[in-house]
Amino acid sequence: MVQIENKRCTINNLKNRLYLRSVLAITLFFSAVLLPQISLAQNTGILELLPGSDLLGYNAKTGAHRLVGNVSFNYQGNTMYCDSAHYYDKSQEVRAYGRVQINKRDTLNLYCDSLYYNGKTKQAKLWGHVRVRDNAYKLTTDSLDYDAAKGQAVYRNKGKVESITSAEVLTSKIGYFYPNSKNFFFKGDVVYKSPEIYMTTDTLQYSYFQHKVNFFGETDILASGAKLKCKSGWYDTQTEEGKLINDAQIFKDSKQIFGDTLYYRPKDSLSIGIGHVVIIDTSSHLELRGNYAYNSDKEKLNYITDEALAIKKMDKDTLYLHADTLFQRPDSNGIEQLEAYNNVQYFTNKIQGRCDTIIFSDTLDLVLMSGNPIIWAKNSELSGENMRVYMNDSSIQKVWIENNAMAVSEVDSGKYYNQIAGNEMFAFFKEDELSSTEVNGNAITLYYPEETQKTDSTTNISRKGMNKLIASNIRVYLDSGEVIGITYLDQPDGIFYPIDKIAKKDQFLENFQWRYYLKPNSPEEVMVEKEEIVIIEEKTKEF
């Protein structure tokens, strides 16, 4: 028989069943972390001692039941082993010491050096070399707290969670576990590693069933050959799809993408940015900006809209281009090009322009402009229905203007305007200044010849009148906007107006417009949309 009053007896052959409160079931608490079907809130239970324990004792003064030496027992299909265990009736406390192990139907094992559980508060603590393992995950930590009432386990002195099946490893200073939902919360120097992903962050929430990671604080992710950075967001560890929020960044190959929010779908080679988006292509020295961006490596496409801006680095200059919509993509021959649509304006230190549609080749040696195109170069303005601009790096070489072609040069600070017009025009430049034009079809030239009178001490420049010449084809030579020579392929019709006899209506060719007020004068001004109609009306009133 079992001795009660501070007596010891061997229990090797003891077959008695002890009916204890299920407070002892806390020794199985962590199976609830990974196997939530176990309930720790029951009020009754049966504990069955197994053969092998060396001693059983009871202290009536302290109310402690004591099991010593190779202790083992079953509870609701769970088996616990330890070197010794104490149970206190009144306080409903359990303490287990030495090589503590709990087994749940061979699906979960828990190990630690010592264990404490308070049945009244439903709180437990495990110390020393804590290890928990089921068929999916293994946890290693120094100590672990468990609140049965909240169904929450936590370690606060560093821990490691390892996947048994997928080579996932997560480490952190603090870790929380929620049994019912199988969710995990980690904080402090969090590192998540798998064969495909390496992540560091300050705070991380992981949903086991959804395979979804939410992260907060400075976060760095290496995945699928890309580097991701942000201050919050989420990531699906199976699909690799993610959302990066607040100072979001993606680095992949020659592309860098920044934005307030970035959606990343590597399996589709797709990134979408919202808010202050910047795409930098270091291979083509091109930077795209806007509030919405679509980047597809599979389609070789960048699409930017909402305050869209392109910045192209050249050897001796920088192009700033604004439009409602920007595309970077290859043409039918595979040549990379930049396309801009609606309200297009661009600026370089040497030339400026605006139109409805513009297409740049990757090398910027050819620029196609359509939809009321205008080009400004120094004191000259070119316009027509369509233009082909031939460049050498940032320098303009030649412009072909199709239909309603016109070249206007301002002289005497806007007092007079030299004008050349026709059906088709080739405008040639030297050092980014209009040097000659070749006009084919209905060519007409209106200019104010400059006369120079020199004395011993002074040089006087004056204009005696205005020449108006009409021919089928004309070649006009200019220097600083001044007409210095004209070549005709057939006999022109012409008339000379003395300077004091020029009527206002004769000063300008048909469809004349001097739209210098529309010209962007700085990189910042390409983002400013100016009203063309108002400006034209104001200039007309002046004339």
Side-chain angles (χ1 to χ4, degrees):
M1 299 295 295
V2 179
Q3 300 294 320
I4 302 297
E5 297 289 336
N6 286 327
K7 295 182 179 180
R8 301 190 308 172
C9 67
T10 63
I11 58 171
N12 291 332
N13 297 318
L14 183 63
K15 296 183 180 180
N16 296 35
R17 293 191 176 191
L18 301 178
Y19 293 86
L20 302 177
R21 295 182 180 136
S22 62
V23 65
L24 285 179
I26 188 55
T27 57
L28 310 168
F29 82 90
F30 204 79
S31 62
V33 178
L34 295 175
L35 298 173
Q37 69 271 19
I38 299 175
S39 172
L40 299 177
Q42 299 177 82
N43 294 319
T44 60
I46 299 175
L47 183 142
E48 180 182 2
L49 294 176
L50 299 177
S53 297
D54 295 332
L55 297 173
L56 169 65
Y58 176 73
N59 188 318
K61 185 176 181 180
T62 62
H65 297 273
R66 185 184 183 194
L67 305 174
V68 181
N70 299 313
V71 177
S72 60
F73 54 83
N74 283 334
Y75 180 80
Q76 294 183 346
N78 308 289
T79 304
M80 174 178 176
Y81 306 91
C82 60
D83 289 344
S84 62
H86 293 175
Y87 169 63
Y88 299 86
D89 286 311
K90 295 181 180 180
S91 61
Q92 298 182 14
E93 295 175 291
V94 176
R95 298 180 184 272
Y97 305 96
R99 296 180 296 176
V100 180
Q101 177 186 353
I102 304 167
N103 176 263
K104 168 66 178 178
R105 298 188 178 94
D106 297 325
T107 60
L108 179 138
N109 282 280
L110 181 148
Y111 304 88
C112 62
D113 293 341
S114 59
L115 177 147
Y116 167 81
Y117 178 68
N118 188 309
K120 292 182 178 180
T121 63
K122 300 295 189 295
Q123 293 181 344
K125 187 168 183 77
L126 287 76
W127 291 278
H129 305 95
V130 179
R131 291 164 293 147
V132 183
R133 176 169 179 162
D134 69 357
N135 293 330
Y137 280 86
K138 177 174 68 175
L139 166 68
T140 305
T141 185
D142 178 69
S143 59
L144 191 72
D145 294 334
Y146 184 71
D147 188 324
K150 295 181 179 179
Q152 172 184 293
V154 56
Y155 63 77
R156 296 184 174 86
N157 190 28
K158 297 181 181 180
K160 177 193 289 187
V161 179
E162 301 172 82
S163 172
I164 306 301
T165 59
S166 63
E168 296 173 280
V169 179
L170 188 147
T171 60
S172 66
K173 288 183 177 179
I174 301 172
Y176 289 83
F177 305 84
Y178 299 90
N180 294 331
S181 61
K182 264 199 173 181
N183 290 336
F184 307 92
F185 177 87
F186 304 95
K187 185 172 178 61
D189 297 333
V190 182
V191 179
Y192 173 86
K193 295 187 290 185
S194 75
E196 297 81 21
I197 304 169
Y198 182 86
M199 175 190 298
T200 61
T201 187
D202 176 72
T203 303
L204 182 147
Q205 293 176 332
Y206 179 50
S207 175
Y208 173 73
F209 292 112
Q210 295 179 351
H211 301 281
K212 189 174 183 179
V213 176
N214 291 280
F215 35 83
F216 308 90
E218 296 287 347
T219 303
D220 292 87
I221 303 172
L222 293 175
S224 300
K227 182 178 181 180
L228 318 179
K229 297 173 68 69
C230 65
K231 293 182 179 177
S232 65
W234 57 263
Y235 195 87
D236 191 305
T237 60
Q238 286 193 332
T239 66
E240 299 180 15
E241 178 180 357
K243 179 180 180 180
L244 313 178
I245 305 170
N246 195 352
D247 196 19
Q249 304 172 41
I250 298 176
F251 302 86
K252 186 174 183 181
D253 300 326
S254 62
K255 280 192 173 60
Q256 304 171 14
I257 306 176
F258 307 86
D260 293 341
T261 301
L262 297 177
Y263 294 89
Y264 185 53
R265 290 163 49 185
K267 291 187 176 180
D268 297 325
S269 301
L270 177 64
S271 303
I272 296 175
I274 299 175
H276 302 95
V277 185
V278 179
I279 300 177
I280 299 176
D281 189 338
T282 57
S283 63
S284 59
H285 308 289
L286 178 65
E287 181 176 322
L288 302 175
R289 299 181 180 182
N291 285 314
Y292 178 85
Y294 175 97
N295 165 252
S296 173
D297 293 336
K298 186 179 297 183
E299 301 174 71
K300 297 182 179 180
L301 169 66
N302 282 319
Y303 165 77
I304 299 282
T305 189
D306 192 1
E307 299 188 7
L309 175 68
I311 303 174
K312 172 75 173 181
K313 300 290 185 180
M314 300 176 285
D315 288 343
K316 299 179 181 179
D317 209 340
T318 301
L319 168 70
Y320 297 87
L321 171 67
H322 165 66
D324 290 349
T325 303
L326 295 174
F327 289 91
Q328 181 196 19
R329 57 187 172 188
D331 63 12
S332 57
N333 297 317
I335 299 175
E336 195 77 23
Q337 62 185 25
L338 176 64
E339 306 169 25
Y341 299 95
N342 299 324
N343 300 313
V344 179
Q345 298 189 103
Y346 65 89
F347 172 90
T348 72
N349 290 323
K350 298 173 181 178
I351 64 170
Q352 300 80 42
R354 62 181 284 144
C355 59
D356 291 334
T357 301
I358 192 168
I359 300 175
F360 291 86
S361 67
D362 183 48
T363 57
L364 289 184
D365 57 354
L366 176 62
V367 180
L368 305 178
M369 300 176 63
S370 61
N372 302 311
I374 308 172
I375 289 178
W376 295 277
K378 292 191 175 178
N379 66 334
S380 297
E381 178 181 302
L382 305 179
S383 61
E385 291 185 10
N386 296 291
M387 292 186 185
R388 284 177 175 263
V389 185
Y390 298 87
M391 307 281 293
N392 181 9
D393 186 54
S394 58
S395 295
I396 186 171
Q397 303 294 302
K398 179 177 69 174
V399 179
W400 171 60
I401 307 173
E402 180 185 26
N403 298 330
N404 298 318
M406 179 174 284
V408 179
S409 296
E410 180 186 46
V411 292
D412 295 354
S413 301
K415 186 176 182 180
Y416 305 109
Y417 295 90
N418 291 334
Q419 303 155 54
I420 305 168
N423 294 341
E424 179 188 56
M425 180 186 298
F426 291 92
F428 299 91
F429 288 75
K430 185 176 182 180
E431 295 181 354
D432 300 298
E433 185 173 83
L434 183 62
S435 60
S436 66
T437 64
E438 183 179 306
V439 184
N440 301 317
N442 298 318
I444 182 169
T445 301
L446 188 157
Y447 67 98
Y448 299 81
E450 189 179 67
E451 293 187 8
T452 304
Q453 294 180 342
K454 293 184 178 182
T455 65
D456 292 340
S457 59
T458 63
T459 299
N460 295 318
I461 298 175
S462 62
R463 302 184 193 276
K464 300 297 184 183
M466 180 186 76
N467 280 324
K468 184 175 183 179
L469 301 173
I470 302 172
S472 296
N473 302 285
I474 298 177
R475 191 172 184 95
V476 181
Y477 302 91
L478 303 100
D479 184 5
S480 300
E482 300 287 350
V483 177
I484 59 175
I486 299 177
T487 301
Y488 308 95
L489 301 182
D490 53 5
Q491 188 63 34
D493 293 327
I495 186 172
F496 177 79
Y497 297 87
I499 201 71
D500 58 348
K501 301 295 183 181
I502 305 173
K504 279 287 185 182
K505 64 182 180 63
D506 296 323
Q507 290 185 13
F508 307 98
L509 297 178
E510 185 180 358
N511 298 324
F512 168 85
Q513 294 185 76
W514 177 247
R515 293 166 290 188
Y516 228 61
Y517 292 98
L518 296 177
K519 180 175 76 74
N521 296 295
S522 67
E524 293 75 20
E525 279 197 21
V526 300
M527 303 296 293
V528 179
E529 295 184 7
K530 302 177 181 179
E531 293 294 335
E532 182 175 357
I533 296 177
V534 174
I535 293 172
I536 292 172
E537 288 177 350
E538 290 175 354
K539 291 300 292 181
T540 304
K541 290 176 183 178
E542 293 177 8
F543 300 145

